[in-house]
Amino acid sequence: METKQFQAESKRLLEMMVHSIYSQKDIFLRELISNASDAIDKIYYKALTDDSISFNKDDYYIRIETNKDNRTLTVKDTGIGMTKEELESNLGTIAKSGSLDFKNEVEMKDGQEIIGQFGVGFYSSFMIADKVTVFTRALHSDEGYKWESDGEEGYSIEPYDKQDVGTEIIIQLKENAEEVNYDEYLEEHKLKSIIKKYSDFIRYPIKMEVTEQEPQEDNEEEVVDVIEDQTINSMVPIWRKNKQELTDEDYESFYQEKHFGFDKPLSHLHISVDGMVRFQSILYIPEQLPFNYYSQDFEKGLELYSNGVLIMDKCADLLPDHFSFARGIVDSEDLSLNISREILQQDHQVKLIAKNIEKKVKNHLLSMLKNDRDKYEKFYDAFGRQIKFGVYSDFGANKDKLKDLLLFYSSSEQKLASLKEYVERMPEDQEHIYYATGESHDRIEKLPQTELVKDKGYEILYFTDEVDEFAIKMLMNYDDKEFKNVSSGDLDLEDEETKKEAEKQKEEHKDLLAEMKEMLGNKVKDVKLSTRLKTHPVCLSAEGDVSIEMEKVLKQMPDNQNIEANKVLEINSKHDIFQSLVHAHGSDKDKVKLYTNILYNQALLIEGLPIEDPVALTNDMCKVMV
Ligand code: ADP
Ligand code: MG
């Protein structure tokens, strides 16, 4: 007999399981049954693709047994079993899928939540077990093995003469405690109700001996207890069922059984298509953002079944990137079982299904936006950025599909608004859709550049996500209305009289402005008198395609090509500081230079741009103070 230590992560997880005070202990059975079902799936799949193996449906089942005297609960399956190596790597270390995510998350959350949020798989049996024993024999293997552990330090493995291929897991229940009566896991009705609740849609029979009361043969009046072998689950995959037969709870428990995400799904859609391609699908939109969603680690994809047999865990080709948040399954009778990953990408059927799914998800979201605004905003809060990325990426190939799903914070409504809502509210004389960019609503609220647009009574959309402006530039316009940054150089909102006055002033102060421009060199493209500023002394605006906010984002990119906005320093001629400049002009060049520098740096600060030389700036400010 060999004894081995658990891997460090496993130990931590096990410790939590053993000392768990988690209220939903019942889920251990769901975990073991779903592993058993996976194991049968694997053998079924092999048989379908390998002529040397035959699959007789009756030979494949999951069986639950209890022994009240020994206080043990057994979960048996006729699945593919495990080799010695598989036993070690699968049960000695934290396996794949749900458990791997867990590994990353374990530092961040407390144990209670972890168990609720992740399928912690096989180890969850230690919530109720003092000792777990696994007997298993792999397909095409002559040897069986026994694995045993108390869930503390390590486990032991030894050869074991097991007759049939498959796995048998024996749980030695913990001693009953004041708060928990572990004996309930020996009770028929308790086990039945857990199976019904969590594992009803498992495709293989979950069998159990059940005591039924039947009338006596010779005396109909009297009843006797008869023990019958029963299949507890309904076995019809949930996606094959009629929508009308299913409740929200059914969908929720399927989501949990499949470990599609944290908590409850925000929304689900059940699709059944019978056209050019036939398929059924259940898709979910998670409520919470997966912790690695906006990172390289996140893998999109749907479970793909061919006529009820799982052929791929995460088929990425079924989902466009802009809807990568969707989780769920697709089952199609038109797909070949032998389909390989490479062929799948080219497969015509898969392409048709993907197209269909994209359309359905889009319409689902649009109708949520229309009919359940709160829910949609919850969705958007988590996944809105992905939609914006979708508008922007692939050179805008998907922008028209996605534009109506966009929401931005509105200056006038003080809440999120869609572009459609914005355009419908536009006053007649307004030609453009205005937006302002910044770190936060508060910051944007205070931007000097918004003054003129707000004065005109126009609504401004606030862009606080880095991707916002890039997405909007890709979109270019909505309903023929062009987007305009309130900081762009050519707002053209002034009335004729203001314009005339501005021309006059410009002429009058030509020399001063030219001198200031010269002093700033190529830090700015121009120095102008502003027509948009009402109370603030200065601001920066940008000419051309690249805005100041975009410059900031581009500068952070690893392969930044030093793309800069064409900045224009705008001075408010009605501000007192401008009069001081006019005074100094022609008599005190140093003072003009000093003021110009300070004003330029102030404008940078307002934009949230870095000050090139903070020491020089503070020195300049001291000069003004003394
Ligand atoms: P997961 O199911 O998420 O991979 P688990 O902890 O539930 O994680 O199971 C770990 C692994 O152990 C499984 O992936 C599978 O390879 C193996 N396993 C568990 N139970 C069985 C079983 N009944 N038959 C065959 N293999 C099993
Ligand atoms: Mg599992």
Side-chain angles (χ1 to χ4, degrees):
M1 188 171 86
E2 291 174 57
T3 52
K4 302 226 163 155
Q5 292 285 306
F6 281 115
Q7 204 199 25
E9 280 93 359
S10 299
K11 230 187 246 176
R12 254 190 306 168
L13 176 51
L14 277 160
E15 203 172 308
M16 261 163 39
M17 289 299 156
V18 172
H19 304 289
S20 162
I21 42 155
Y22 186 58
S23 55
Q24 288 185 49
K25 291 190 172 5
D26 295 358
I27 59 148
F28 83 91
L29 193 58
R30 170 187 81 191
E31 298 299 321
L32 296 185
I33 288 175
S34 114
N35 284 349
S37 165
D38 290 348
I40 303 177
D41 262 346
K42 284 176 192 157
I43 222 170
Y44 184 42
Y45 179 67
K46 269 213 155 75
L48 285 166
T49 51
D50 177 348
D51 290 338
S52 69
I53 309 168
S54 64
F55 188 92
N56 177 5
K57 218 168 176 302
D58 295 339
D59 295 341
Y60 295 93
Y61 55 86
I62 297 156
R63 179 174 287 286
I64 312 293
E65 281 169 5
T66 56
N67 183 323
K68 286 196 173 154
D69 299 332
N70 301 337
R71 299 185 66 251
T72 58
L73 172 68
T74 301
V75 180
K76 226 187 246 185
D77 68 66
T78 55
I80 198 153
M82 283 175 272
T83 62
K84 187 178 176 208
E85 291 69 38
E86 284 167 343
L87 260 180
E88 285 189 9
S89 70
N90 294 340
L91 305 187
T93 60
I94 291 188
K96 307 146 270 174
S97 54
S99 335
L100 190 72
D101 294 347
F102 163 82
K103 224 161 72 176
N104 305 323
E105 186 86 326
V106 75
E107 263 89 28
M108 290 146 54
K109 296 240 169 88
D110 70 75
Q112 282 273 0
E113 266 180 89
I114 299 278
I115 303 168
Q117 289 188 356
F118 298 90
V120 275
F122 172 77
Y123 287 157
S124 62
S125 49
F126 286 102
M127 286 194 292
I128 57 141
D130 266 344
K131 185 175 77 184
V132 177
T133 312
V134 180
F135 299 105
T136 186
R137 199 181 115 198
L139 180 70
H140 303 316
S141 162
D142 314 326
E143 282 177 304
Y145 288 93
K146 173 182 167 182
W147 178 103
E148 194 164 72
S149 173
D150 58 5
E152 296 279 354
E153 286 302 306
Y155 56 91
S156 66
I157 291 190
E158 61 190 293
Y160 180 84
D161 186 18
K162 189 173 185 304
Q163 293 300 306
D164 317 304
V165 170
T167 302
E168 184 172 338
I169 297 174
I170 300 178
I171 289 167
Q172 178 67 59
L173 291 173
K174 283 187 187 180
E175 290 303 328
N176 292 321
E178 213 167 291
E179 338 69 271
V180 204
N181 173 24
Y182 293 97
D183 275 349
E184 65 176 347
Y185 295 115
L186 300 169
E187 299 301 335
E188 253 175 56
H189 69 269
K190 173 70 178 176
L191 294 169
K192 256 171 92 169
S193 82
I194 307 179
I195 294 168
K196 269 294 200 201
K197 179 164 174 204
Y198 293 115
S199 311
D200 197 45
F201 307 122
I202 292 286
R203 301 180 329 111
Y204 305 102
I206 302 168
K207 297 187 184 189
M208 198 171 100
E209 283 188 344
V210 176
T211 321
E212 292 284 351
Q213 298 192 324
E214 282 185 6
Q216 245 174 14
E217 266 178 34
D218 42 3
N219 177 2
E220 297 266 320
E221 306 281 284
E222 295 285 301
V223 287
V224 285
D225 284 351
V226 180
I227 294 180
E228 291 184 346
D229 212 23
Q230 281 187 4
T231 295
I232 312 296
N233 54 329
S234 76
M235 290 204 289
V236 181
I238 178 170
W239 58 89
R240 291 271 168 85
K241 291 211 166 176
N242 202 321
K243 265 184 257 189
Q244 278 76 39
E245 290 172 44
L246 295 161
T247 63
D248 284 351
E249 262 185 356
D250 288 330
Y251 289 108
E252 251 167 52
S253 71
F254 183 63
Y255 182 86
Q256 260 131 28
E257 181 199 311
K258 285 286 181 187
H259 305 323
F260 280 142
F262 320 87
D263 297 352
K264 287 195 239 164
L266 181 71
S267 178
H268 67 259
L269 63 164
H270 190 160
I271 309 167
S272 181
V273 172
D274 201 358
M276 295 265 282
V277 63
R278 288 169 298 174
F279 74 96
Q280 283 117 21
S281 171
I282 292 181
L283 299 176
Y284 295 96
I285 293 164
E287 186 175 62
Q288 283 183 29
L289 190 70
F291 66 93
N292 63 354
Y293 187 65
Y294 290 113
S295 81
Q296 297 283 338
D297 297 343
F298 183 79
E299 257 186 276
K300 65 167 183 173
L302 300 174
E303 275 191 11
L304 183 61
Y305 290 75
S306 157
N307 208 5
V309 184
L310 181 67
I311 51 176
M312 202 181 291
D313 258 353
K314 271 197 175 156
C315 180
D317 299 309
L318 289 170
L319 277 181
D321 281 343
H322 45 266
F323 294 151
S324 59
F325 44 81
R327 310 295 310 270
I329 71 102
V330 172
D331 187 3
S332 171
E333 44 214 297
D334 295 341
L335 289 176
S336 151
L337 267 179
N338 286 309
I339 207 159
S340 74
R341 249 161 231 275
E342 294 71 42
I343 296 173
L344 205 65
Q345 285 182 346
Q346 333 279 328
D347 191 272
H348 183 58
Q349 310 287 350
V350 172
K351 279 190 185 150
L352 280 179
I353 297 175
K355 245 193 155 137
N356 207 301
I357 283 178
E358 181 183 16
K359 210 170 74 200
K360 290 271 180 2
V361 172
K362 183 193 147 184
N363 291 338
H364 182 78
L365 290 172
L366 281 176
S367 96
M368 199 197 284
L369 173 60
K370 201 165 149 224
N371 304 317
D372 195 345
R373 180 70 172 227
D374 284 352
K375 206 180 224 189
Y376 186 81
E377 290 194 6
K378 231 182 197 174
F379 154 77
Y380 197 77
D381 189 42
F383 300 107
R385 257 172 83 199
Q386 189 64 14
I387 303 285
K388 298 175 198 170
F389 282 126
V391 170
Y392 170 68
S393 28
D394 293 334
F395 304 100
N398 298 298
K399 61 182 184 180
D400 286 322
K401 275 182 231 166
L402 300 175
K403 62 185 177 191
D404 284 313
L405 295 172
L406 294 172
L407 297 181
F408 296 104
Y409 185 84
S410 147
S411 62
S412 59
E413 303 296 304
Q414 313 255 310
K415 59 180 189 193
L416 292 172
S418 71
L419 296 174
K420 188 157 172 268
E421 288 161 349
Y422 182 102
V423 168
E424 280 169 3
R425 283 197 286 264
M426 272 166 73
E428 219 153 285
D429 66 337
Q430 185 183 341
E431 287 176 39
H432 303 298
I433 300 174
Y434 294 101
Y435 65 86
T437 56
E439 243 165 60
S440 63
H441 297 164
D442 272 0
R443 283 288 281 265
I444 299 177
E445 200 83 48
K446 295 189 185 116
L447 274 183
Q449 293 93 327
T450 60
E451 284 191 309
L452 177 61
V453 182
K454 276 195 187 149
D455 249 30
K456 289 285 262 180
Y458 297 160
E459 184 174 354
I460 302 173
L461 298 174
Y462 289 2
F463 288 4
T464 48
D465 253 348
E466 286 180 354
V467 64
D468 287 347
E469 196 172 15
F470 289 88
I472 262 353
K473 291 254 156 164
M474 195 55 86
L475 203 53
M476 285 191 299
N477 51 53
Y478 180 88
D479 201 16
D480 294 332
K481 312 281 189 295
E482 212 184 305
F483 291 98
K484 235 183 212 330
N485 190 329
V486 296
S487 315
S488 73
D490 56 341
L491 274 187
D492 200 22
L493 283 175
E494 308 81 10
D495 52 40
E496 285 309 312
E497 205 167 310
T498 320
K499 275 188 201 160
K500 238 185 253 160
E501 175 63 27
E503 276 307 312
K504 217 174 90 194
Q505 291 242 358
K506 190 174 148 191
E507 191 49 38
E508 194 179 322
H509 301 296
K510 203 168 60 186
D511 293 346
L512 170 60
L513 295 172
E515 189 177 338
M516 289 173 78
K517 157 69 184 133
E518 202 181 301
M519 286 166 172
L520 290 171
N522 49 16
K523 289 177 193 160
V524 294
K525 190 160 169 272
D526 204 359
V527 178
K528 283 205 297 206
L529 291 182
S530 179
T531 47
R532 86 182 82 208
L533 291 174
K534 304 282 173 191
T535 55
H536 291 73
V538 278
C539 74
L540 282 177
S541 64
E543 281 179 3
D545 277 342
V546 182
S547 74
I548 288 163
E549 204 62 25
M550 288 167 87
E551 172 185 315
K552 278 194 248 171
V553 177
L554 292 169
K555 281 226 162 100
Q556 287 169 13
M557 300 215 173
D559 59 343
N560 94 76
Q561 289 156 10
N562 229 355
I563 297 172
E564 291 193 347
N566 288 325
K567 300 185 198 78
V568 175
L569 183 66
E570 296 196 9
I571 313 274
N572 185 353
S573 62
K574 292 182 237 35
H575 199 281
D576 291 346
I577 188 70
F578 185 69
Q579 298 316 317
S580 304
L581 275 165
V582 174
H583 269 290
H585 180 55
S587 62
D588 191 347
K589 201 168 175 180
D590 284 347
K591 194 167 180 182
V592 175
K593 182 157 190 174
L594 180 67
Y595 283 15
T596 303
N597 263 328
I598 294 179
L599 286 171
Y600 168 68
N601 279 301
Q602 283 180 348
L604 289 178
L605 277 171
I606 292 171
E607 288 302 325
L609 287 168
I611 302 291
E612 287 142 52
D613 189 345
V615 177
L617 172 64
T618 47
N619 285 336
D620 280 354
M621 283 163 64
C622 287
K623 274 187 217 158
V624 182
M625 287 188 241
V626 289

